[in-house]
């Protein structure tokens, strides 16, 4: 049982086709088919609400943060970044059947990887030579 997800997804395709470029507006997707249920798919919801542009931005955020988390995990000082990246990957995979855009843990994980990035730059920019030698 899919809980009606596939039926809602097929109805939202019609909404997407009507407003595919800029979407219908954040939080407005339920009004277009008069449903009290959400899509339970973060990417599809972002595409319907924000259009193709919003979906591309969301995918880029996912990919860039995951890429940077993996890069940071290669540094001995930030080796634990792999756990954050793994959690982020699991959350993105889970978002295909749940709306994770409203999950605090998703945004906290993005923020933690961003904080590691800031710390990384501050650490290596104290001595530009160290940064150039390591990269």
């Amino acid at each position: 049982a899919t809980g009606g997800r596939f039926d809602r997804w097929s109805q939202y395709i019609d909404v997407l086709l009507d407003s595919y470029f800029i979407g219908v507006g954040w939080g407005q997707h339920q009004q277009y088919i008069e449903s009290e249920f959400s899509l339970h798919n973060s990417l599809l919801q972002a595409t319907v609400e924000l259009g193709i542009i919003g979906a591309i931005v969301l995918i880029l955020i996912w990919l860039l943060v995951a890429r940077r988390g993996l890069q940071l995990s290669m540094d001995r000082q930030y080796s634990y970044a792999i756990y954050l990246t793994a959690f982020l990957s699991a959350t993105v995979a889970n978002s295909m059947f749940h709306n994770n855009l409203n999950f605090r843990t998703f945004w906290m994980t993005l923020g933690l990887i961003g904080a590691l990035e800031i710390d990384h730059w501050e650490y290596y920019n104290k001595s530009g030579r160290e940064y150039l030698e390591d990269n």
Side-chain angles (χ1 to χ4, degrees):
T2 62
R5 285 183 178 95
F6 294 139
D7 294 333
R8 286 193 300 277
W9 292 354
S10 65
Q11 290 174 339
Y12 284 106
I13 289 173
D14 294 333
V15 174
L16 177 63
L17 293 175
D18 288 339
S19 183
Y20 65 91
F21 193 68
I22 59 171
V24 297
W26 189 257
Q28 303 301 314
H29 70 278
Q30 292 171 322
Q31 296 176 4
Y32 282 83
I33 64 164
E34 300 174 6
S35 173
E36 61 186 61
F37 300 106
S38 68
L39 282 173
H40 293 286
N41 184 317
S42 296
L43 183 57
L44 185 57
Q45 180 178 331
T47 306
V48 168
E49 293 180 350
L50 303 174
I52 299 296
I53 295 170
I56 290 170
V57 169
L58 180 63
I59 291 169
L60 283 175
I61 288 171
W62 286 344
L63 291 176
L64 292 174
V65 171
R67 178 178 173 256
R68 193 61 186 141
L70 287 172
Q71 288 173 339
L72 285 170
S73 69
M74 301 299 176
D75 188 336
R76 186 176 304 155
Q77 182 179 355
Y78 303 103
S79 60
Y80 57 89
I82 193 69
Y83 301 116
L84 293 172
T85 307
F87 180 78
L88 179 69
S89 300
T91 304
V92 168
N94 186 39
S95 74
M96 294 305 120
F97 294 98
H98 295 285
N99 180 9
N100 291 351
L101 297 176
N102 296 327
F103 285 9
R104 288 184 203 120
T105 54
F106 171 70
W107 295 106
M108 282 190 247
T109 304
L110 288 178
L112 287 171
I113 293 174
L116 289 178
E117 174 68 12
I118 291 169
D119 186 62
H120 178 264
W121 278 104
E122 287 178 359
Y123 176 77
Y124 283 107
N125 281 334
K126 287 181 183 175
S127 170
R129 283 177 281 154
E130 288 179 35
Y131 180 74
L132 291 174
E133 290 172 5
D134 289 344
N135 291 322

